[in-house]
Amino acid sequence: MSRLEEQWRQIYAVELPALAKARDTSQKHWPVYLDHCFARIILDNAVGIDRPWTEAIKSPAIKNMTEDQLRAAIELAQSIISGTKDLDVLNQRSLDLRGKTGSNKKKRKAAASEELRATKSKRTESGNISTYFLPSPQSPEKNTLATAAKADASVTDAAHAATEIDMDVQLKRIAGSKLTAFRKQTLSMLCQVPRGRYSTYQAMSDFITKSSHKTCARAVGNAMRNNPFAPEVPCHRILAADGTLGGFSGHWGEDGKFAKEKHKLLDDEGVRFDSRGKVKGPPFPPWHDMHDTHVMQGLHSTMTRANNHE
């Protein structure tokens, strides 16, 4: 099983994103380019079959799939690579299973817009509390939370809702915002980190310094503070360079005011910590230049226009 698990991880997290980025001719069109999107498409078709995979097995999939399910997922992924399966068709079927097409999509967008307007009209009890602790625009409207237990449940629901968020939509939200160019750049990078993975403030700052301009881990952390698009834009997936929890909503470390909330979001996504408080498993692969993809080229143009009008 461990060999199959590693093969599955390699094919959906490394090989398929690389082919999509290169626009390999095995597919006429690559509708997605992030690893968690490939995982969604393949698992819905190979494991869920007639329903989203999350209704067939528990998350994380790699720890809960049977050997037969793993083999089916790998076989379908290999068919995509060889071009014998049409990724566009598989993606459309996955979206259909999740009710993300046609009239259902229009209804959901209308409901989300209404919820977003309602959310913006609410005031938080503290200026340090980010929109993590408000109902997600993608979630059904909830009554005012009366207990800490209900608050925890709200955070969990928001995290699960963020799992299937279309990151292209989030990138456009960021680009069209009134945030500074640096905050837009930092938050846009978060859209690369899939559910169940993590990176660090230092890795982000190193990439920005190498590809754009000089910065530091502290500046990156400050740019993510009070993230207005959380949890859909997942700043909770960024940890300290030593693998410890890092900051959350303006507070730092395990003793921080919202450390439990960050741990819960990560735990629900399958990220685990050892007894010393260090994260388990390897970090998200090295950042790639987001402007290399046609989606990010469009975002870059949008951001440029937005920044020129700030």
Side-chain angles (χ1 to χ4, degrees):
M1 281 287 284
S2 60
R3 182 185 63 80
L4 289 175
E5 289 175 358
E6 183 56 38
Q7 185 179 0
W8 162 242
R9 185 181 288 109
Q10 175 71 18
I11 203 168
Y12 91 81
V14 179
E15 294 179 23
L16 283 168
L19 291 173
K21 184 178 178 181
R23 300 184 192 174
D24 188 85
T25 56
S26 59
Q27 294 291 324
K28 292 181 180 179
H29 173 238
W30 293 89
V32 299
Y33 59 94
L34 296 176
D35 55 359
H36 67 281
C37 294
F38 285 111
R40 166 183 61 80
I41 294 169
I42 294 168
L43 293 176
D44 279 355
N45 283 276
V47 177
I49 302 177
D50 59 354
R51 53 185 169 166
W53 71 265
T54 49
E55 295 180 11
I57 59 173
K58 293 181 179 180
S59 179
I62 197 167
K63 297 299 182 183
N64 292 291
M65 281 192 284
T66 65
E67 183 174 341
D68 287 343
Q69 288 171 330
L70 259 175
R71 291 185 185 279
I74 292 170
E75 182 179 350
L76 181 56
Q78 290 172 336
S79 296
I80 294 171
I81 291 174
S82 67
T84 56
K85 290 290 185 180
D86 190 323
L87 183 61
D88 257 332
V89 172
L90 295 172
N91 182 47
Q92 188 60 52
R93 185 172 184 278
S94 170
L95 294 175
D96 288 342
L97 289 175
R98 294 167 180 271
K100 293 190 174 183
T101 56
S103 59
N104 285 337
K105 185 175 182 180
K106 292 180 180 178
K107 290 178 181 178
R108 192 176 62 258
K109 282 186 175 180
S113 296
E114 180 62 30
E115 179 64 21
L116 181 59
R117 285 193 292 272
T119 297
K120 286 182 176 179
S121 69
K122 296 180 181 180
R123 299 178 62 184
T124 59
E125 295 179 359
S126 166
N128 288 329
I129 300 180
S130 76
T131 50
Y132 265 108
F133 305 102
L134 295 176
S136 169
Q138 281 70 30
S139 302
E141 187 171 359
K142 297 179 176 64
N143 294 327
T144 302
L145 302 180
T147 65
K150 288 184 179 180
D152 284 345
S154 177
V155 172
T156 302
D157 290 344
H160 285 301
T163 306
E164 302 304 333
I165 293 298
D166 184 342
M167 285 304 175
D168 288 351
V169 172
Q170 303 311 314
L171 290 168
K172 290 175 182 177
R173 290 177 69 197
I174 295 168
S177 71
K178 294 183 179 180
L179 299 175
T180 65
F182 179 60
R183 289 196 71 191
K184 288 179 180 179
Q185 179 183 26
T186 304
L187 295 180
S188 295
M189 287 179 66
L190 297 177
C191 295
Q192 293 187 46
V193 186
R195 179 183 174 91
R197 305 298 295 276
Y198 71 90
S199 188
T200 67
Y201 305 102
Q202 188 63 55
M204 292 183 70
S205 68
D206 287 347
F207 177 81
I208 294 172
T209 297
K210 180 180 178 180
S211 63
S212 179
H213 58 84
K214 187 174 182 179
T215 187
C216 64
R218 183 179 294 275
V220 168
N222 286 336
M224 290 189 290
R225 186 172 182 171
N226 295 325
N227 172 9
F229 306 113
E232 289 86 355
V233 177
C235 56
H236 62 277
R237 296 173 188 166
I238 307 302
L239 308 178
D242 62 358
T244 55
L245 191 64
F248 191 60
S249 195
H251 296 262
W252 185 264
E254 295 289 350
D255 296 327
K257 186 175 181 180
F258 302 112
K260 289 183 179 179
E261 282 80 357
K262 184 170 183 177
H263 266 303
K264 186 169 182 60
L265 285 165
L266 291 168
D267 186 68
D268 287 343
E269 295 179 351
V271 177
R272 302 288 184 260
F273 291 79
D274 62 23
S275 59
R276 300 173 300 162
K278 299 290 185 70
V279 69
K280 295 181 179 180
F284 177 69
W287 302 95
H288 64 75
D289 186 350
M290 299 174 78
H291 295 142
D292 284 350
T293 68
H294 69 285
V295 172
M296 291 311 301
Q297 286 172 346
L299 171 66
H300 181 58
S301 298
T302 304
M303 288 179 66
T304 300
R305 290 194 299 271
N307 291 336
N308 287 339
H309 288 84
E310 286 182 351

